[in-house]
Amino acid sequence: MTEDVPRYTAREAIALVTSGFTELPGPTSPVPTSSVHTNPADTSDSSDPTRKFSPDGPLSWQGYDASRARAAARTGEEESVVCGTATIGGTATVLISFEFGFLGGSLGERTGDRLEAAYGYAREHRLPVVSLVATGGSRMQEGMRALVQLQRVARQSTLTREAGLPQIAVLRDPTTGGGWATLGAGADVVLALPGAQVGFAGSRVRPPDADPAAYTAEAQLAAGAVDAVVPPAELPELLGLWLHLLSHPSAEPVPPPPALADTDLPATGWEAVGNARSPQRPHATAYLDAHLARRTEISGDRCGGTDDGMLCGFGVLKGGGRTVAYAAQTGTATRPAGYRTAARLIRLADRLRIPVLTLVDTPGAANDAEAERQGAGAAIADVFGAVAAARTPVTTLLIGEGGSGGALALAAPDNTWATPDSYFSVIAPELAAAILKRPPEEVRATADQLRIRPQDLVDLGVVRGIAQPPKSQP
């Protein structure tokens, strides 16, 4: 444990996020591990009322029952998880909290029984699931019977995901092993407390020369595996906001935001380029601030990367109060991690039936050697696929530069709009001239030939229309 990082008990962690908690009764018919389903689509009841737990567990591990008894006496809990229902920020939820003091918060068969029952209750009552995770991994005294509980947890998470219910994890100190690799990293949104030890490898099984700083919540945030590191005092409000945002589906598309700059339509293609590249032009944060009353972001592509040039998250529309998801480019060359994060956002919104707004503004995809090593092409293809497959409505507003496929990947077919200070091009005019072996003085003429002005895009059928500034009140 990192110095000065608190280790909350299960009940203390619950008290951090809610003042009202009703514990669910323990499972009356434990599920034998041998009955674990391998087909996630199979939702049949696998309970077996005849199952009994053997003395000292499935391995007859000498002293295991005595260890459990001591853990129960020390913590006041019967198992390493406490499951119940609570209201957080006005949203009813199923709440799971790990007790690290009970055998290191490890997962055994009885833990699997409780987690399966909690997830089943969430689906039956259409409630989101919040997990306050603190675990050292699978319980060694139960051997492989403990390890396969991870399959049970994964199945329950998958069934809950398919039911269209959100899952949020809060990582406490420590979160390691299979608990991190299922309940933690498998959640839709992953929050963490500052300084928490987070990693698949626990402190006693890492290489002796491993950098301990790599196994922290902050390191996981930088690596794109965590959405936010949240101080305990801020956790209730943020968790309540996330639950509200993810629990309000809508079938109505997001209306295209009005333009923020009162800019005349450009007379030439090169003027359109100048307008879009102007440092005074409003960028994505200005549009999000103007359009959304409250918002919060996801972060990271879940495979090692982040991109500050791609803002992704959920917010509440001003005036209407509806939840929308957004993926917004900020004017920089978009990196592979940015595209993968956007694809993750769009798929999550689609599953939860939340409409999506994308703001396109990039000179193009990053094309340096590192971007290629990080799989730029595959990342862009991932976003094209996510937009194409989305059943929830997607609305796009072109607010600046629309540079080639790196911009088009975020654009909704048949529902893309443009502001007067934007342009969309198959390639930047300078690059087009270079490819065509034209001298630099022909760049301006090339911009005209490409027909990249907003009004040209309407004529070509690439965008539906041009967003105008709100009419001023007389």
Side-chain angles (χ1 to χ4, degrees), residues 32-34 36 51 53 57-59 61 64 68 79-80 103 105-113 115 135 137-154 177-179 182:
T33 307
S34 59
V36 172
R51 192 197 34 169
F53 288 106
L59 305 185
W61 187 288
Y64 177 42
R68 285 183 52 85
E79 245 307 323
S80 59
L103 301 180
S106 56
L107 282 78
E109 287 190 283
R110 291 177 178 86
T111 322
D113 292 340
L115 293 173
T135 173
S138 299
R139 194 167 298 171
M140 291 179 295
Q141 297 92 329
E142 295 185 19
M144 282 300 299
R145 291 285 287 271
L147 189 65
V148 296
Q149 301 309 305
L150 303 182
Q151 294 173 320
R152 291 177 73 184
V153 173
T182 52

Side-chain angles (χ1 to χ4, degrees), residues 256-257 356-360 394-398 410-413 415-418:
V356 178
L357 171 67
T358 63
L359 300 179
V360 171
V394 180
T395 302
T396 298
L397 181 64
L398 174 66
L410 261 70
N415 198 24
T416 292
W417 303 73

Side-chain angles (χ1 to χ4, degrees), residues 31-310:
V31 181
T33 307
S34 59
S35 299
V36 172
H37 297 301
T38 58
N39 179 7
D42 183 2
T43 59
S44 60
D45 184 9
S46 59
S47 61
D48 180 2
T50 66
R51 192 197 34 169
K52 304 293 183 183
F53 288 106
S54 302
D56 282 332
L59 305 185
S60 299
W61 187 288
Q62 187 175 1
Y64 177 42
D65 283 350
S67 296
R68 285 183 52 85
R70 289 193 298 270
R74 183 171 58 253
T75 64
E77 307 296 350
E78 297 179 353
E79 245 307 323
S80 59
V81 290
V82 176
C83 305
T85 58
T87 299
I88 302 175
T91 302
T93 184
V94 166
L95 189 57
I96 296 168
S97 186
F98 278 72
E99 176 52 69
F100 189 77
F102 193 103
L103 301 180
S106 56
L107 282 78
E109 287 190 283
R110 291 177 178 86
T111 322
D113 292 340
R114 289 181 173 226
L115 293 173
E116 185 169 71
Y119 270 99
Y121 186 93
R123 291 194 299 275
E124 179 183 356
H125 296 273
R126 302 293 303 166
L127 298 176
V129 177
V130 173
S131 299
L132 310 176
V133 188
T135 173
S138 299
R139 194 167 298 171
M140 291 179 295
Q141 297 92 329
E142 295 185 19
M144 282 300 299
R145 291 285 287 271
L147 189 65
V148 296
Q149 301 309 305
L150 303 182
Q151 294 173 320
R152 291 177 73 184
V153 173
R155 175 176 180 269
Q156 292 305 312
S157 177
T158 298
L159 292 175
T160 303
R161 184 175 296 112
E162 290 177 348
L165 298 171
Q167 301 171 69
I168 302 175
V170 178
L171 312 181
R172 297 151 49 203
D173 187 65
T175 298
T176 61
W180 164 228
T182 52
L183 285 162
D188 299 318
V189 175
V190 183
L191 309 176
L193 297 182
Q197 179 187 168
V198 179
F200 187 65
S203 59
R204 298 184 183 181
V205 298
R206 299 170 191 157
D209 59 346
D211 178 8
Y215 301 85
T216 63
E218 289 76 7
Q220 296 290 353
L221 175 65
V226 166
D227 291 300
V229 174
V230 188
E234 299 175 14
L235 185 59
E237 181 178 359
L238 182 58
L239 192 54
L241 176 58
W242 268 118
L243 287 167
H244 173 81
L245 291 172
L246 299 184
S247 301
H248 287 77
S250 172
E252 295 298 319
V254 184
L260 294 183
D262 192 3
T263 304
D264 293 334
L265 288 174
T268 67
W270 191 244
E271 184 181 342
V273 173
N275 290 342
R277 293 177 180 174
S278 169
Q280 284 75 44
R281 172 183 57 80
H283 284 71
T285 52
Y287 278 91
L288 294 174
D289 288 342
H291 207 50
L292 302 178
R294 294 185 298 165
R295 71 177 192 271
T296 187
E297 293 184 3
I298 65 169
S299 177
D301 63 0
R302 295 300 185 261
C303 53
T306 61
D307 180 6
D308 293 338
M310 180 75 79

Side-chain angles (χ1 to χ4, degrees), residues 263-276 418-424 448 451-457 466 468:
T263 304
D264 293 334
L265 288 174
T268 67
W270 191 244
E271 184 181 342
V273 173
N275 290 342
T419 62
D421 49 357
S422 67
Y423 80 88
F424 222 143
D448 286 335
R451 297 196 65 193
I452 61 180
R453 300 176 304 168
Q455 60 267 44
D456 295 327
L457 302 176
I466 299 172
Q468 299 295 334

